[in-house]
Amino acid sequence: MTGSTAASFTADDYRARMERAARTAAEAGLAGLLVAPGPDLVWLTGYTPPAVTERLTLLVLAAGQDPVLVVPALEAPDAHRAAGAAALTLRDWTDGKDPYAATAALLDASGRFGISDNAWALHLLALQQAMPGTSYASLTEALPMLRAVKDAAELDLMAAAGAAADATFEEIRNVPFAGRRESEVAADLDRLLRRHGHEQVDFTIVASGPNGANPHHEAGDRVIARGDTVVLDFGGLRDGYGSDTSRTVHVGEPTDEERRVHDIVREAQEAGFRAVRPGAACQDVDRAAREVIADAGYGEYFIHRTGHGIGVTTHEPPYMIEGEERPLVPGMCFSVEPGIYLPGRFGVRIEDIVTVTEDGGRRLNTTTRELVIVE
């Protein structure tokens, strides 16, 4: 995907984002933001370089200054075609010239700047050498909520991505599981996500039997058998915005214990969802879900946070975890995904993407959370 993300965003949308980012940086005591190729650059400008190379590409944002995108000359034509190009100034540089000197001329030589988490050390070190009086903080540290609150158009794209993931689950539950490798079912998930509009698939976890006790198990050669519990966790990007959902299915009839554990996780997921409301702390969602599992005697087997933010990446702030006191705000989108993982036996996870509304929360995944029987 080169040049733009979703066609629904205009140069004015990107201009507003860049202005807000620069203003927020100033309020945080920063002299500006330096944004390298990656999700932040796409969100702020609509531009994805045709290739990630050692050549410097950097968006410079500072309150009271026009945005400037420093780009290699050979990539300038692509940058000019980006959806947000009309909202910024392009400054290109040719091979043999010093791009860091050109960038330094745009910056406060003694300022502290927020810089993209994924900026190359090569570029950061060169900027520091060109401007020894500057200092830097990662964007996640300095402005963790930069992309967290989605506008109406973004929420529509998030909902569409969630619906595509739901459609994928409705189809995958009808494919054969028993006698097939996890990797084969994972390939089905990948194919279905793409059929339903995803341009990028980030993960297709298929964790059967004892593998289900590993939350981030990668689908492998294990042959799924009758009697297995199978955790499915899959998602990616559709029109530049993320999906991520988990459902747990069972091959044939489950045991009473498997049903009971699944019911506990389903109740925990519902409790986490009910805790979503404006002004509640992120940790309140984690606490609500964790309390259900702990009260049922499985607290030590819930081994990860309850949720993570999602947007133009499938994992981003905010995080639903103990100690995160940041308040929920309408427009935030994040997962609610408690689980129980019994080593050597099986696991259960149920996950929806939820957005904060004016008076509570709205699920962006609506497939059944009951235990689904597959063949």
Side-chain angles (χ1 to χ4, degrees):
M1 181 174 60
T2 299
S4 66
T5 53
S8 56
F9 299 123
T10 68
D12 285 342
D13 294 320
Y14 292 112
R15 179 179 292 106
R17 290 178 185 178
M18 288 188 282
E19 289 175 352
R20 177 159 61 90
R23 184 174 61 252
T24 304
E27 292 168 353
L30 298 172
L33 300 180
L34 306 178
V35 185
D40 292 314
L41 185 64
V42 174
W43 184 77
L44 286 163
T45 69
Y47 177 54
T48 300
V52 178
T53 73
E54 74 283 357
R55 292 183 174 94
L56 179 71
T57 295
L58 201 66
L59 174 67
V60 178
L61 297 177
Q65 298 180 20
D66 290 337
V68 177
L69 181 63
V70 178
V71 295
L74 74 170
E75 295 173 4
D78 297 289
H80 275 290
R81 288 192 291 270
L88 50 78
T89 297
L90 288 173
R91 183 165 298 183
D92 61 20
W93 60 277
T94 56
D95 286 353
K97 302 295 184 180
D98 184 353
Y100 307 107
T103 304
L106 304 171
L107 304 177
D108 177 349
S110 60
R112 181 170 177 78
F113 296 89
I115 190 166
S116 300
D117 296 10
N118 55 331
W120 285 23
L122 169 73
H123 300 317
L124 177 57
L125 292 171
L127 284 171
Q128 287 178 315
Q129 185 173 10
M131 298 182 298
T134 56
S135 60
Y136 302 86
S138 73
L139 282 188
T140 292
E141 173 194 342
L143 298 179
M145 295 295 105
L146 180 63
R147 306 192 315 256
V149 178
K150 278 64 176 176
D151 62 25
E154 290 181 293
L155 289 174
D156 286 345
L157 291 169
M158 291 291 302
D166 283 355
T168 294
F169 177 70
E170 294 295 0
E171 292 194 49
I172 201 70
R173 62 185 290 183
N174 293 315
V175 308
F177 277 71
R180 301 178 70 210
R181 299 182 190 278
E182 293 173 340
S183 56
E184 293 177 290
V185 178
D188 288 341
L189 284 169
D190 186 295
R191 172 178 53 83
L192 290 169
L193 284 167
R194 294 181 190 278
R195 179 194 295 172
H196 290 291
H198 282 63
E199 70 272 8
Q200 176 177 314
V201 176
D202 287 346
F203 45 87
T204 52
I205 293 173
V206 179
S208 64
N211 289 340
N214 175 2
H216 281 174
H217 171 73
E218 292 196 10
D221 290 335
R222 185 180 187 277
V223 176
I224 302 169
R226 291 193 66 80
D228 278 350
T229 299
V230 185
V231 178
L232 305 173
D233 185 346
F234 50 93
L237 300 183
R238 183 184 185 278
D239 287 335
Y241 281 77
S243 70
D244 184 2
T245 188
S246 300
R247 293 293 186 263
T248 300
V249 302
H250 198 276
V251 187
E253 284 300 314
T255 65
D256 289 345
E257 182 188 20
E258 289 165 336
R259 281 195 181 277
R260 184 171 67 254
V261 170
H262 190 278
D263 284 345
I264 292 166
V265 174
R266 180 172 52 80
E267 291 168 10
Q269 207 270 346
E270 176 65 23
F273 170 70
R274 289 199 306 267
V276 176
R277 63 185 182 280
C282 292
Q283 68 181 4
D284 292 343
V285 179
D286 183 81
R287 288 175 175 178
R290 199 168 299 277
E291 181 179 21
V292 173
I293 292 174
D295 286 351
Y298 290 92
E300 66 183 293
Y301 302 111
F302 181 12
I303 56 177
H304 56 73
R305 64 197 175 202
T306 293
H308 57 82
I310 184 171
V312 294
T313 59
T314 47
H315 282 205
E316 61 187 42
Y319 298 102
M320 307 301 114
I321 190 171
E322 181 66 30
E324 179 51 86
E325 298 179 352
R326 194 179 309 277
L328 300 181
V329 176
M332 283 183 175
C333 297
F334 49 85
S335 66
V336 179
E337 51 175 307
I340 292 175
Y341 308 94
L342 303 178
R345 302 180 62 204
F346 66 94
V348 174
R349 181 164 65 258
I350 301 172
E351 174 184 15
D352 293 328
I353 299 303
V354 173
T355 184
V356 184
T357 65
E358 294 297 331
D359 57 2
R362 174 168 68 99
R363 298 182 192 269
L364 300 186
N365 297 106
T366 59
T367 55
T368 182
R369 286 167 286 279
E370 301 291 336
L371 183 58
V372 169
I373 308 301
V374 297
E375 295 300 324

